[in-house]
Amino acid sequence: MTLVQGALDWLGDPANWRGLSGIQQRLVEHLAITGAVILVAALIALPLGILVGHTRRGRGTVVALTSGVRSIPTLGLLTILALNLGIGLTAPVLALIVLAIPPLLAGAYAGIESVSVDAVDASRGIGMTEWQLVRAVEVPLALPVIVGGLRSATLQVVATATLAAYVADAGLGRFLFSGLKQRQYSEMLGGAILVATLALVLETALALMQRVLTTVPPDTGRP
Amino acid sequence: MIEFRDVSKRYPDGTVAVESFSFVVPSHETVVFVGSSGSGKTTLLRMVNRMVDPTSGTVLIDDQDVQQVDKVQLRRSIGYVLQGVGLLPHRTILDNVATVPMLRGVSRAHARKDALGLLDRVGLDRALATRYPSQLSGGQQQRVGVARALAADPNILLMDEPFGAVDPIVRAELQVELRRLQSELGKTTVFVTHDVDEAFKIGDRVVILSAGGRIEQADTPERIVAHPANDFVADFIGARSARRTLRVQDVDGREVVVDGDGRPVGMLAT
Ligand SMILES: Nc1ncnc2c1ncn2[C@@H]1O[C@H](COP(=O)(O)OP(=O)(O)O)[C@@H](O)[C@H]1O
Ligand SMILES: [Mg+2]
């Protein structure tokens, strides 16, 4: 109980929020890392996943590859990358991109594959080009599933981005590592609460977005 | 005019859907391909808009080989109604109908205006324009499918078991309306079904197919009934069944037509 009280006191102290290693700064760094990682991973995974879903080719390869990648422990990967790339943000960002790609990829191809075969066949039959099919039919209808992938990728990255502090002076993970080292358990727990809260906020926002993007209308009225 | 010139189709898995098929669909006529499931009807139909490319042989539209026409342009110039309808679930009825004209470069406002007229044409209430496909009954969705196929005012209409999934009463209604539309519009139409009665109701000519797209008989419905070409056709149309073997029975001085079981079908017109 005193530990929780300590963490809340730590969070409540305005002094802890200010400065270059204050909560505000770390929060911004954490979000920036998460955002950049998701952006780069999405630029790789979404086109690839959409291509696989649209052509129905290479699914086996992609599944094998992503389940292989999923089995790599992120901390191990981060250590290996850091040993090769040195201290700094490059190694954690790369490790997090590897973490984010599988759920994004799976969301993209599963989403496209879930689109009604009849709608796709008819759209092609009335004269849509393959590109028009992807843009006007498959992607809009797959969007809820694609955002589902984005949601799970974001959740994993925002939680795991604490590891960035393992090799770089960045992110909310700093409070966990420094707290642990200096036996400042209230700081450590406070940091953990911040990460969990951030994850919850992002999760809620994306869940909301997913609901809004569900383009298939309900049985009454316009969406 | 659509001409199938000795076409065949072998799918990559080795299935021979069509062995060798030749037939001419005259302009402004409605030809029905009828045959049991798997006889190659869909395959033949989809050769016309190049959704399927024949393994050998050619399909010609007004003497032009369809292989020489760009697929996408070809499809935009042909009306296509599918058994599964395949409306876009995220677009309104009006926008579904307006799809092809918009693909062809017509402005949205103009395409929507024309689409409203098409809803009237296929007997749909304009109030449905802003609904989504999932809010319509199966029969209504099929009407939208027909409106969408007519939207670009194509010369050719391809219809693949369009009324297969609706209940018999609605189906009969749709058949009557299709005939009305055909007499108004005079499109060159290929209609595919596995239902002989539907074929006889809709077709100016009927092509009876057996496995591998083999033509067992191609003629007007009345001539097929009068002279089934062989036992396959006779069986297929149920020539010997009670409902096709009608006779006249005198009932209190009136001429009542009864079927093979003696059930009344109607009266002889006087
Ligand atoms: N894409 C395909 N790949 C392999 N076989 C197919 C394909 N499409 C159809 N077939 C086969 O070709 C035959 C004819 O099919 P189809 O033209 O759909 O017949 P119908 O429309 O008369 O039911 C069937 O045996 C069917 O299983
Ligand atoms: Mg078929």
Side-chain angles (χ1 to χ4, degrees):
Chain A
M1 211 55 229
T2 50
L3 189 60
V4 174
Q5 192 53 54
L8 292 178
D9 287 346
W10 180 80
L11 283 169
D13 184 352
N16 289 332
W17 286 78
R18 290 189 292 265
L20 276 180
S21 50
I23 294 172
Q24 229 173 61
Q25 172 69 15
R26 295 305 185 198
L27 206 58
V28 169
E29 287 168 3
H30 204 93
L31 273 173
I33 293 170
T34 304
V37 163
I38 293 293
L39 186 72
V40 174
L43 285 177
I44 298 166
L46 295 187
L48 187 62
I50 289 166
L51 188 74
V52 168
H54 177 74
T55 60
R56 309 275 155 126
R57 293 212 188 101
R59 190 183 198 278
T61 318
V62 166
V63 171
L65 221 72
T66 49
S67 56
V69 168
R70 271 191 220 257
S71 68
I72 302 172
T74 304
L75 186 57
L77 179 63
L78 174 59
T79 311
I80 291 168
L81 285 172
L83 286 174
N84 284 287
L85 298 167
I87 297 295
L89 271 177
T90 320
V93 164
L94 280 179
L96 289 170
I97 288 172
V98 170
L99 179 72
I101 284 178
L104 285 167
L105 199 55
Y109 70 67
I112 301 285
E113 282 178 5
S114 73
V115 175
S116 146
V117 183
D118 281 339
V120 172
D121 189 59
S123 301
R124 187 179 278 123
I126 63 174
M128 284 197 189
T129 62
E130 295 305 303
W131 171 241
Q132 285 168 333
L133 263 180
V134 170
R135 197 176 46 87
V137 181
E138 290 178 330
V139 169
L141 290 174
L143 221 45
V145 184
I146 293 176
V147 174
L150 179 70
R151 210 172 131 183
S152 71
T154 306
L155 203 62
Q156 286 181 48
V157 169
V158 85
T160 316
T162 43
L163 286 184
Y166 182 51
V167 291
D169 182 21
L172 292 170
R174 283 309 299 162
F175 300 126
L176 279 84
F177 285 104
S178 74
L180 183 64
K181 203 164 148 197
Q182 297 162 22
R183 296 173 186 257
Q184 297 286 337
Y185 297 122
S186 45
E187 176 183 344
M188 205 180 151
L189 185 60
I193 289 171
L194 283 172
V195 174
T197 310
L198 188 59
L200 263 173
V201 168
L202 288 178
E203 166 72 4
T204 311
L206 284 168
L208 221 68
M209 179 167 154
Q210 196 174 5
R211 196 173 317 158
V212 170
L213 284 175
T214 304
T215 41
V216 177
D219 274 358
T220 51
R222 299 188 65 128
Chain B
M1 183 181 75
I2 306 166
E3 181 177 359
F4 295 86
R5 201 177 276 173
D6 199 16
V7 290
S8 74
K9 179 64 188 182
R10 173 195 287 271
Y11 283 107
D13 68 356
T15 311
V16 179
V18 175
E19 274 163 27
S20 168
F21 180 90
S22 296
F23 189 75
V24 175
V25 179
S27 295
H28 311 297
E29 276 199 25
T30 299
V31 170
V32 178
F33 293 172
V34 58
S36 31
S37 169
S39 53
K41 308 181 294 291
T42 296
T43 302
L44 284 168
L45 193 74
R46 285 162 76 94
M47 284 180 185
V48 178
N49 63 1
R50 291 193 60 197
M51 288 295 278
V52 168
D53 283 328
T55 310
S56 67
T58 19
V59 175
L60 303 104
I61 294 176
D62 296 333
D63 297 317
Q64 173 162 46
D65 184 350
V66 293
Q67 289 295 324
Q68 255 126 57
V69 186
D70 174 68
K71 270 184 199 179
V72 167
Q73 297 308 324
L74 180 75
R75 289 172 192 159
R76 287 177 190 175
S77 72
I78 293 176
Y80 187 24
V81 187
L82 298 87
Q83 175 166 15
V85 203
L87 299 176
L88 295 179
H90 59 306
R91 293 207 181 154
T92 61
I93 299 309
L94 202 63
D95 284 339
N96 266 284
V97 175
T99 306
V100 184
M102 278 172 58
L103 289 173
R104 288 168 63 130
V106 175
S107 75
R108 179 183 294 263
H110 198 137
R112 281 184 171 164
K113 194 170 139 277
D114 290 352
L116 270 179
L118 277 157
L119 292 186
D120 301 340
R121 176 127 248 174
V122 299
L124 281 172
D125 190 336
R126 286 187 177 208
L128 298 179
T130 54
R131 300 259 185 100
Y132 286 84
S134 63
Q135 300 169 322
L136 268 56
S137 71
Q140 288 172 325
Q141 290 189 29
Q142 268 311 353
R143 286 172 198 262
V144 178
V146 174
R148 177 178 65 183
L150 294 173
D153 196 20
N155 291 323
I156 293 175
L157 208 52
L158 305 176
M159 308 184 84
D160 193 348
E161 311 216 19
F163 311 142
V166 295
D167 68 74
I169 293 169
V170 176
R171 189 174 179 148
E173 226 173 84
L174 290 170
Q175 289 166 351
V176 170
E177 290 197 37
L178 179 64
R179 274 196 313 191
R180 169 183 61 81
L181 266 180
Q182 281 305 87
S183 63
E184 284 170 22
L185 303 172
K187 308 279 184 200
T188 307
T189 304
V190 185
F191 187 105
V192 158
T193 179
H194 61 261
D195 176 349
V196 177
D197 292 315
E198 184 167 76
F200 286 170
K201 265 184 202 155
I202 284 170
D204 297 318
R205 272 161 221 256
V206 171
V207 179
I208 296 179
L209 298 171
S210 57
R214 225 174 91 99
I215 299 181
E216 295 293 341
Q217 188 167 9
D219 214 327
T220 60
E222 56 274 19
R223 291 171 62 93
I224 291 174
V225 173
H227 308 288
N230 53 38
D231 283 349
F232 180 92
V233 175
D235 276 351
F236 192 77
I237 68 171
R240 300 177 196 92
S241 70
R243 73 199 170 93
R244 295 244 194 261
T245 46
L246 311 180
R247 63 201 154 75
V248 176
Q249 197 174 358
D250 184 283
V251 180
D252 304 331
R254 307 214 47 187
E255 293 181 301
V256 175
V257 178
V258 297
D259 68 12
D261 297 329
R263 314 306 299 180
V265 178
M267 303 264 301
L268 271 194
T270 46

